[in-house]
């Protein structure tokens, strides 16, 4: 009889995708997957180190899991062992370390370790040198949802001054186009209607290869599967939005008109200090070009507030610029120091109180922009992929431009794609009625 295993994931959607891919490998090998927190023979913790706080949460979760009685086999994967293997191995009770390579062999590695329960920790963390191949894990599949996540790109060479990810994820690697098509075909055969393409630096898809492939080619490969109903993109840089990508969005209604383009700051001085690859003039020019090409597009963003050295005048520029951009949604992050990055060494750090105050002020800009965007949907018709019954017994789903729709219906709409007419605003989304 095979063992039972549970999973815990910290961090980003790419981490969640990696965990789901590993979970699938164990399921196919005959393991029983149990919810984390319930008794299991093995616990796998997929870690995050994007901030010191993230690394601290990872460490606390590992320690908490080690204290279980009876103690499971403890497997620690992801960015924490990749960047600090000695620190993870020093946590007494960790049995196996696997970084951001070799996860395709995770079942084999765990089974080897199960045969030597009393051995010292096994460190299987491998380097991520230039030229490493893309780890071709299967798409992440969650049987409770109609959306699947397919990681097509790994690594980052940007080296923003606040970010540890290039050290944790290594250099650029891309999934072959043939693998993208094969995985999308498999997902549609499994009944998934929407696929989200993910990457650590998604816009750099294919950049490290000699054949000239780019993100638009990856999108075309996915859209070449006739059974695919919807395709979305994860986060990418504004400077990497190619004209060909916009052409595909114009021509194929299955390619959702939503782009998440991290701004990080609306002040040129801070952007330069962050080592971002644009200034505000270029960013605004790019999003104006995108909106001209795809008028219905939703542009969402990330902004970091309280970066070291950000003055009140600098932050005022961010507020003004964010409002001028008219984002459909702003994800706001107070700057958090990450040991090992240039920004963390700066002496002009802001207080938590200053950062908290700026978060609240930017939230007001976010609420205003989000309401303005949602109002543009009223009186129009949109296809919606229905997910679940949620608030007040209403069905919930998403439009192509990532607005949550609420609908009253006695039918079971789970996983269906229907067209509705938007009638007004509701909560964080819009109300609709059947067409």
């Amino acid at each position: 009889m095979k063992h039972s295993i549970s999973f815990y994931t910290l961090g980003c959607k790419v981490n969640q995708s990696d965990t789901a891919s590993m979970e699938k490998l164990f399921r196919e090998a005959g393991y029983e997957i149990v919810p984390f927190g319930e008794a299991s023979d093995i616990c796998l913790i997929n870690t995050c180190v994007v901030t010191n706080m993230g690394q601290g949460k990872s460490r606390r979760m590992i320690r908490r899991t080690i204290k279980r009685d009876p103690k499971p086999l403890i497997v620690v994967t992801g960015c924490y062992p990749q960047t600090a293997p000695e620190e993870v191995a020093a946590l007494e009770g960790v049995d196996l370390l696997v970084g951001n390579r070799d996860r395709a062999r995770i079942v084999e590695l765990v089974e080897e370790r199960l045969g030597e329960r009393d051995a010292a920790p096994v460190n299987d963390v491998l380097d991520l040198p230039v030229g490493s191949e893309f780890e071709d894990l299967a798409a992440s599949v969650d049987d409770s949802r109609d959306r699947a996540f397919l990681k097509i790109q790994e690594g980052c060479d940007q080296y923003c001054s606040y970010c540890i990810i290039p050290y944790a994820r290594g250099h650029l690697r891309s999934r072959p186009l043939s693998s993208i098509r094969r995985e999308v075909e498999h997902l549609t055969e499994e009944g998934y209607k929407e696929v989200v393409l993910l990457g650590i630096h998604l816009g750099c898809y294919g950049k490290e290869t000699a054949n000239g492939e780019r993100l638009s080619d990856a999108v075309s490969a996915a859209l070449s599967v006739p059974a695919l109903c919807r395709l979305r993109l994860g986060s990418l840089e504004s400077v990497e939005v190619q004209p060909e990508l916009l052409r595909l969005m114009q021509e194929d209604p299955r390619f959702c008109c939503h782009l998440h383009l991290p701004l990080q700051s609306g002040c040129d001085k801070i952007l330069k200090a962050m080592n971002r690859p644009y200034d505000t003039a270029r960013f605004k020019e790019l999003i104006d070009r995108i909106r001209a090409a795809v008028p219905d597009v939703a542009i969402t963003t990330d902004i970091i507030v309280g970066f070291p050295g950000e003055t009140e005048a600098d932050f005022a520029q961010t507020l003004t610029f964010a409002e001028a951009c008219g984002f459909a949604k702003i994800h706001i992050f107070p700057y958090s120091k990450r040991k090992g990055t240039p920004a963390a060494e700066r002496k002009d750090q802001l207080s938590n109180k200053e950062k908290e105050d700026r978060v609240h002020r930017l939230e007001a800009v976010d609420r205003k922009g989000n309401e303005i965007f949602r109002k543009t949907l009223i009186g129009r018709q949109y296809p919606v992929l229905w997910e679940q019954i949620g608030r007040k017994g209403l069905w919930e789903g998403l439009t192509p431009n990532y607005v949550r729709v609420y609908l009253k219906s006695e039918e079971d709409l789970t996983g269906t794609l229907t067209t509705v007419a938007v009638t007004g605003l509701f909560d964080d989304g819009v109300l609709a009625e059947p067409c």
Side-chain angles (χ1 to χ4, degrees), residues 399-418:
T399 64
N401 51 13
Y402 215 68
V403 173
R404 186 153 295 277
V405 179
Y406 296 88
L407 175 77
K408 186 174 182 59
S409 175
E410 301 301 322
E411 298 180 49
D412 183 358
L413 299 176
T414 308
T416 63
L417 189 65
T418 66

Side-chain angles (χ1 to χ4, degrees), residues 161-172:
S161 65
Y162 53 83
C163 186
I164 198 71
I165 293 303
Y167 306 96
R169 290 283 181 169
H171 297 279
L172 302 175

Side-chain angles (χ1 to χ4, degrees), residues 241-262:
V241 179
Q242 314 156 261
E244 180 63 16
L245 205 62
L246 298 178
R247 187 188 66 78
L248 290 169
M249 196 172 281
Q250 290 171 320
E251 295 179 355
D252 196 323
R254 297 177 299 160
F255 187 16
C256 293
C257 51
H258 168 228
L259 292 171
H260 187 76
L261 309 175

